[in-house]
Amino acid sequence: MAIQMNIYDSLRQDHQSVQHVLDEMVKTSEADVSMRTQLFNRLKVEFLAHLRAEEKLLYPKLEQHRSSRELERTDVRDERWKAKASVLREMVRHHVEVEENAMFPKAHRLFSDVEAQQLASQFEDQKRIEQHHI
């Protein structure tokens, strides 16, 4: 019998993926227009799908923390783009720390292993739905 992923594993996996994309974004230069655009589009799909799935299943108040809109409005050739990507990276790091260090322990006490596995399945389904709406 295969071990099912629980909600905490699903969220951590997303966090790692988003952090990787953000790290790659910050490494780019103004001349990397295509790479910046590609990475930001990937971040947008992955992070927004993650947030929207969380909002619907776990954290209804996360909507107020979506801050990628400012970066979206900045031309990737703009010298301020990298600084804004760095700020976004720090905000995401903070989100991850709060979620993993404060919310996960509370949720662990509230949800059984079966509930956590069910939430993971629902979370992954919801992310797929959200990705089609971004």
Side-chain angles (χ1 to χ4, degrees):
M1 181 161 114
I3 297 175
Q4 278 191 303
M5 197 163 41
N6 64 38
I7 189 63
Y8 317 107
D9 297 331
S10 294
L11 292 169
R12 278 190 195 99
Q13 188 175 51
D14 279 5
H15 294 162
Q16 290 170 353
S17 178
V18 166
Q19 285 293 73
H20 173 73
V21 174
L22 286 162
D23 288 343
E24 293 301 310
M25 286 170 59
V26 173
K27 290 178 188 176
T28 63
S29 71
E30 289 83 5
D32 294 330
V33 173
S34 177
M35 182 57 72
R36 281 185 170 186
T37 302
Q38 178 185 0
L39 287 169
F40 181 71
N41 287 336
R42 179 175 164 201
L43 172 73
K44 184 177 171 183
V45 169
E46 289 185 23
F47 192 51
L48 291 179
H50 171 92
L51 285 179
R52 289 178 183 173
E54 277 183 325
E55 289 166 6
K56 291 188 178 182
L57 294 172
L58 298 172
Y59 312 113
K61 293 185 179 186
L62 277 179
E63 180 65 30
Q64 64 194 354
H65 297 291
R66 285 203 328 212
S67 59
S68 64
R69 292 181 179 142
E70 185 177 348
L71 185 61
E72 184 174 32
R73 288 185 286 235
T74 303
D75 189 301
V76 296
R77 293 175 290 249
D78 190 311
E79 62 190 29
R80 295 170 295 171
W81 191 92
K82 189 172 185 173
K84 290 179 182 187
S86 294
V87 170
L88 179 60
R89 178 177 63 173
E90 291 310 310
M91 291 177 75
V92 170
R93 282 185 179 157
H94 176 73
H95 162 84
V96 167
E97 286 177 22
V98 168
E99 192 168 276
E100 291 186 5
N101 296 325
M103 300 300 281
F104 282 14
K106 290 177 187 176
H108 268 290
R109 291 190 296 272
L110 296 173
F111 302 138
S112 69
D113 290 344
V114 171
E115 286 174 308
Q117 290 170 351
Q118 290 170 337
L119 278 170
S121 177
Q122 293 170 345
F123 180 78
E124 294 301 323
D125 290 344
Q126 189 65 45
K127 277 192 341 189
R128 281 189 286 280
I129 291 166
E130 296 299 336
Q131 286 174 339
H132 294 308
H133 294 93
I134 295 173

